[in-house]
Structure formats: C-alpha cells, structure tokens
Amino acid sequence: MRSTLADIPLGQWLPMETLAVVLVVVGVLGVGVGLVVIMRLRAEMGRLAERAERVAARVAALPPDLSRVFGNHDRHIISVELLNLFELAHRETWVARPLSVLTPRLLRDVIHRAVVGRVRENLAASGVEADVRLHRVR
C-alpha cells in the first residue's frame, strides 16, 4: 500500500512535495497580485478617458479618427451626415430597394461615394477648391 501526504509526518515531507506546495502558494499570490494590478490599471484608464473627454470638449478638438487625417491645426471642417440615405437611394434607382434589403451596408457605401462625387463636382463648378473626403466615424 502506498502512503499519501496525509500519512507522512510534517517534518518528513520529501523535497518535491515541499517545492510543489511552495510553487502553488507563489502562483496563487502571483495571480492575486496580477488581478489587483489589472483592476488598478482599468480604474486609471477610466479616469484618464474621462479627463481626455473633458479636455477635448474644452478645446473643441476633432474626433481621433479625423485628427489623424487633418491634424490638430487651426482648420475649419464641414461635416455632413446623410439622414435619409435609403430614401435617396430609392429615388435614384429601382435596384436600391432590393439591395437595401439584401446588402444595406454595400448600398450605404455606394450612396456615400456617389454623394461625395456630386459634392466634389458641385463645389468645383462653383469655383470652390475643396478637399472632399469620406470618413467612417465609429
């Protein structure tokens, strides 16, 4: 019959069993410390995000995706959001209604590109030099 750890008196534990117990205790402590550090970092990240939002609102900064493209210089940017996208598409072509049911995202992309082209043409026809771009804001 084999003996178990419970059968061996505490002073007679073998070195491997002692090492295993020490490693388990150290591992549990490491996981605990890691969880505490992660919780503190998440709290810090939340505080910094709130602070960044307050500062951005104060300086009227561009959203991050647009500031990467345009920079944070003293520029004026006109933003346009199409609110009746599918109505516009239905007026343009008869294919839009079936497409809006099957692939609304594809139709949305096609209409946005068409509108950007029209805006470019109309501005150029009016003699306005403009950099017209399409950006997806998340």
Side-chain angles (χ1 to χ4, degrees):
M1 178 171 173
R2 243 181 113 192
S3 62
T4 63
L5 284 177
D7 297 334
I8 301 173
L10 187 59
Q12 295 180 354
W13 271 23
L14 299 173
M16 291 307 286
E17 285 85 4
T18 304
L19 180 63
V21 170
V22 169
L23 289 176
V24 166
V25 169
V26 169
V28 168
L29 287 174
V31 168
V33 169
L35 288 175
V36 168
V37 168
I38 288 174
M39 288 172 32
R40 284 185 179 173
L41 287 174
R42 291 188 81 179
E44 174 93 15
M45 191 172 70
R47 285 191 301 272
L48 288 175
E50 289 173 10
R51 200 166 139 208
E53 286 176 12
R54 284 195 308 268
V55 169
R58 238 184 313 156
V59 298
L62 291 173
D65 56 335
L66 291 179
S67 64
R68 270 186 247 117
V69 174
F70 295 112
N72 288 323
H73 310 293
D74 189 20
R75 296 172 69 173
H76 295 275
I77 296 171
I78 298 173
S79 172
V80 177
E81 180 179 5
L82 302 177
L83 300 177
N84 64 341
L85 193 67
F86 294 114
E87 292 173 24
L88 179 63
H90 294 152
R91 274 189 268 144
E92 293 295 318
T93 177
W94 63 272
V95 181
R97 192 168 303 275
L99 269 180
S100 66
V101 174
L102 296 174
T103 57
R105 187 172 181 165
L106 175 65
L107 180 65
R108 195 175 295 126
D109 289 345
V110 168
I111 295 300
H112 280 126
R113 286 192 185 98
V115 169
V116 165
R118 276 195 214 152
V119 168
R120 250 188 220 121
E121 290 170 5
N122 289 339
L123 288 174
S126 300
V128 176
E129 290 183 28
D131 181 13
V132 181
R133 301 181 193 181
L134 178 63
H135 298 279
R136 179 170 290 156
V137 180
R138 299 184 196 278

